[in-house]
Amino acid sequence: MRQRRLVCPAPLEDAGMVTVSKPVISFLIPAYNAAETLADCLGSLQRQSVSNWQAVVVDDGSKDDTWNVLEGLAKSDSRILVHRQANAGASAARNAAARFATSPLLCMLDADDWLDPAFIQNMLPVAGDGLKPVIAYCSYRRVTPDGRKLGIETPPDLTGDRAKREFSSFCALAIHAVV
């Protein structure tokens, strides 16, 4: 089992149907056999201090109960959009999710990632209004399958020409920590 990222330990709460319009950020989440982790991932979004977000979750041909879990979560929260496709891999699922996203600001999460409750609040001022290309990013930490928190991983300072060099060669940032 791979390590999970970012920490938000509180369980998912059932607060009835939530409806919010005009999301400031869309989270693109591929889900393959993720029935056990989706509630934690989406629960971390539901606990954000900024509530006008959107999660677009694409079930990428799961063989477990992922689709049923997603349908249940989406029924109680209109900010969660779910789609289903034949298995095509995480990149294809992220691309499909991007087609349904309605915010100019995007963040890619895996179905086993959690976000700190202040993630959106802290990232929005850096990301701006999404009308001009900007990359906002932050630190993150990994959590082992047994719940042990590893050290905080701080990304390199990427600006100007250094950013162009780094991104033209490889992705120097963890995608789940980028808007």
Side-chain angles (χ1 to χ4, degrees):
M1 176 176 256
R2 69 181 216 162
Q3 295 175 344
R4 300 168 77 174
R5 292 178 293 251
L6 303 174
V7 181
C8 192
L12 179 65
E13 296 176 26
D14 182 9
M17 179 58 145
V18 176
T19 304
V20 176
S21 60
K22 297 184 182 177
V24 295
I25 186 169
S26 294
F27 293 93
L28 313 179
I29 306 170
Y32 179 74
N33 292 342
E36 291 183 23
T37 60
L38 278 167
D40 288 338
C41 176
L42 295 171
S44 78
L45 295 178
Q46 291 172 321
R47 286 184 292 280
Q48 289 295 302
S49 59
V50 173
S51 63
N52 54 335
W53 51 264
Q54 171 190 61
V56 184
V57 188
V58 176
D59 179 350
D60 189 41
S62 295
K63 297 178 182 0
D64 68 355
D65 205 31
T66 295
W67 183 248
N68 292 330
V69 170
L70 284 174
E71 283 187 315
L73 292 167
K75 282 180 185 173
S76 65
D77 193 333
S78 67
R79 299 172 296 181
I80 301 171
L81 304 177
V82 296
H83 301 279
R84 199 177 206 179
Q85 68 181 27
N87 183 257
S91 295
R94 284 186 188 101
N95 288 337
R99 287 190 289 276
F100 294 105
T102 60
S103 170
L105 295 177
L106 304 176
C107 180
M108 293 184 240
L109 291 180
D110 287 335
D112 62 351
D113 290 343
W114 307 308
L115 293 177
D116 181 86
F119 178 85
I120 298 171
Q121 177 183 337
N122 291 335
M123 296 297 276
L124 282 180
V126 181
D129 58 15
L131 298 178
K132 68 178 191 172
V134 172
I135 296 176
Y137 57 94
C138 63
S139 300
Y140 65 97
R141 76 169 58 216
R142 295 184 189 276
V143 180
T144 64
D146 64 359
R148 189 172 44 93
K149 296 175 189 172
L150 302 179
I152 293 175
E153 297 187 34
T154 304
D157 181 20
L158 296 174
T159 56
D161 289 339
R162 181 169 184 217
K164 291 176 188 175
R165 280 192 312 274
E166 296 282 337
F167 288 123
S168 67
S169 301
F170 64 95
C171 184
L173 305 170
I175 63 166
H176 58 275
V178 175
V179 172

